[in-house]
Amino acid sequence: MKRFLIHLSIFTIVCGTALLLFELYLLKVPNRYSYKYNYIDEHKNEIEILLLGNCLIEDGLIPQALGPHTFNAAISGREKIYDAELAKQFVAKMPNLKTLVLSVEYRDFAFGRGKVNPRDHKKHGGLKSTIKCMHYKYMNIHVDPFWYWSEFLNSELNYKERIHMTYQQQIETDTLGFVKLLDSNKIPEWEYWDLPGIYDTSLPIDSDMYKGLYQSYHTIAQICSEHHVRLMLLTLPVHKTFQEDMNPLVEKEMGDFVSQIQQEYPEVEYYNFFRDERFVPQDFHDALHLSESGSRKFSSIIAKKIAYNE
């Protein structure tokens, strides 16, 4: 028995060492998270417009179209608590930052009342651990007592394939953080892909989830106010199939949510493009995300709003 325990201990130490070395090696392999974090850090004295949020902003706003010194720091799947932490880290260190852009999204307002949409063709997997470990490891964000969240054990991203990719493939974005959704990759029946869940507003809101989301937006609004940075909140356009499954009461809750923030920070701007009729089917990659033409159109609209109020 003693011999077995010795062998088991040696095996555990060897495996643990190998895992640690692999985790350290991955730190040297570029990825979207490290690229965006390092870009902000290296250009914090130059950036004038910073885009935060998840894939809707990452795929929907083209930095080059918004004005000089714009960077798209949004990342697919990011929760607002991570945006708040990034704002804490960087806004005070960005002397030329004029505008911070962040999305307000229908899906964030489920608050425990959501059910699977039978019309939705997309299978929604759990990438929460992936998003967490990548933000912890590469963006210096920690929102709970854990100081580290192993990429090897938790990430479902392509860390094995990344080792053999070109630099551009590894970072998965253009140099200013924009991810183009190619029209050539548009799938059949795209209009039934990425539909919203069915929200039952007869159920009570999970108060902890609501408070957590509100605190994230409030933190960002407070930081922007303290450092005289313009905060623009955007709800991006969605295809009519997405609109059909939206609950009008949840839409009202979204407006009330933003109004509550504006009561304390009246300078916060909010623009709702949910049902903007300027966006036609070819402007959507799926029911939720903008296509190449859609992102160009939306970027042009937002560029005018930024320039008009500067």
Side-chain angles (χ1 to χ4, degrees), residues 1-59:
M1 184 67 179
K2 184 177 179 181
R3 188 173 183 181
F4 169 76
L5 292 175
I6 291 174
H7 288 166
L8 180 61
S9 299
I10 294 173
F11 176 77
T12 302
I13 292 171
V14 170
C15 290
T17 302
L19 173 61
L20 176 61
L21 291 175
F22 185 65
E23 290 277 347
L24 292 174
Y25 171 72
L26 286 174
L27 283 170
K28 298 182 178 181
V29 181
N31 62 70
R32 189 187 309 187
Y33 295 80
S34 61
Y35 176 77
K36 292 197 173 190
Y37 185 84
N38 290 335
Y39 186 99
I40 300 173
D41 191 43
E42 293 168 6
H43 296 83
K44 55 183 176 286
N45 293 326
E46 306 159 23
I47 296 174
E48 296 181 3
I49 302 172
L50 181 65
L51 313 180
L52 293 180
N54 61 18
C55 56
L56 299 186
I57 296 291
E58 185 176 46
D59 308 333

Side-chain angles (χ1 to χ4, degrees), residues 12-280:
T12 302
I13 292 171
V14 170
C15 290
T17 302
L19 173 61
L20 176 61
L21 291 175
F22 185 65
E23 290 277 347
L24 292 174
Y25 171 72
L26 286 174
L27 283 170
K28 298 182 178 181
V29 181
N31 62 70
R32 189 187 309 187
Y33 295 80
S34 61
Y35 176 77
K36 292 197 173 190
Y37 185 84
N38 290 335
Y39 186 99
I40 300 173
D41 191 43
E42 293 168 6
H43 296 83
K44 55 183 176 286
N45 293 326
E46 306 159 23
I47 296 174
E48 296 181 3
I49 302 172
L50 181 65
L51 313 180
L52 293 180
N54 61 18
C55 56
L56 299 186
I57 296 291
E58 185 176 46
D59 308 333
L61 283 176
I62 305 170
Q64 294 88 338
L66 299 184
H69 309 298
T70 300
F71 185 69
N72 191 330
I75 287 184
S76 178
R78 178 186 288 153
E79 298 177 25
K80 297 302 180 295
I81 191 171
Y82 297 142
D83 288 308
E85 291 300 314
L86 284 172
K88 287 180 186 178
Q89 282 192 53
F90 285 111
V91 170
K93 302 175 183 177
M94 303 174 77
N96 292 307
L97 183 64
K98 298 177 181 178
T99 303
L100 190 150
V101 177
L102 182 65
S103 54
V104 179
E105 297 151 38
Y106 184 82
R107 284 186 169 168
D108 284 341
F109 286 78
F111 299 132
R113 303 169 295 174
K115 300 178 182 178
V116 174
N117 188 336
R119 295 207 306 163
D120 191 6
H121 291 186
K122 181 178 180 179
K123 294 182 180 179
H124 296 274
L127 290 176
K128 193 166 183 134
S129 288
T130 298
I131 303 303
K132 179 176 179 176
C133 79
M134 297 301 282
H135 278 87
Y136 276 38
K137 186 173 180 181
Y138 296 105
M139 305 195 89
N140 194 31
I141 290 175
H142 304 278
V143 296
D144 59 30
F146 294 97
W147 69 274
Y148 189 73
W149 207 248
S150 169
E151 185 175 1
F152 180 78
L153 298 177
N154 294 283
S155 177
E156 296 181 32
L157 299 184
N158 57 347
Y159 57 84
K160 295 177 183 177
E161 291 82 1
R162 271 204 328 265
I163 296 171
H164 307 290
M165 290 178 174
T166 65
Y167 179 74
Q168 198 60 45
Q169 291 172 325
Q170 288 170 335
I171 66 171
E172 304 175 293
T173 79
D174 71 7
T175 56
L176 293 178
F178 174 67
V179 175
K180 182 190 295 183
L181 295 180
L182 301 174
D183 291 339
S184 58
N185 292 336
K186 202 166 182 176
I187 60 175
E189 298 188 319
W190 58 268
E191 62 268 45
Y192 296 102
W193 185 269
D194 232 342
L195 292 172
I198 304 301
Y199 297 166
D200 184 355
T201 50
S202 68
L203 298 174
I205 286 176
D206 184 314
S207 59
D208 289 336
M209 295 175 71
Y210 182 93
K211 290 175 183 175
L213 184 66
Y214 185 82
Q215 184 59 47
S216 294
Y217 279 98
H218 184 275
T219 296
I220 294 170
Q222 181 180 26
I223 292 171
C224 287
S225 178
E226 289 174 351
H227 295 91
H228 309 290
V229 173
R230 179 185 180 191
L231 176 58
M232 292 180 64
L233 301 180
L234 307 177
T235 294
L236 281 74
V238 293
H239 187 257
K240 64 179 181 179
T241 49
F242 192 102
Q243 297 174 23
E244 291 166 358
D245 291 335
M246 290 166 58
N247 187 320
L249 292 178
V250 176
E251 288 188 72
K252 183 179 183 303
E253 289 172 1
M254 293 174 66
D256 293 342
F257 180 91
V258 176
S259 295
Q260 188 178 352
I261 294 171
Q262 290 173 321
Q263 286 180 10
E264 186 169 355
Y265 300 101
E267 68 274 16
V268 172
E269 302 171 40
Y270 178 48
Y271 303 100
N272 186 344
F273 296 92
F274 257 148
R275 303 176 188 276
D276 195 309
E277 295 182 356
R278 288 173 289 184
F279 292 84
V280 294

Side-chain angles (χ1 to χ4, degrees), residues 281-295:
Q282 60 261 36
D283 291 328
F284 295 96
H285 185 76
D286 53 35
L288 178 62
H289 299 86
L290 294 173
S291 64
E292 292 182 60
S293 63
S295 61

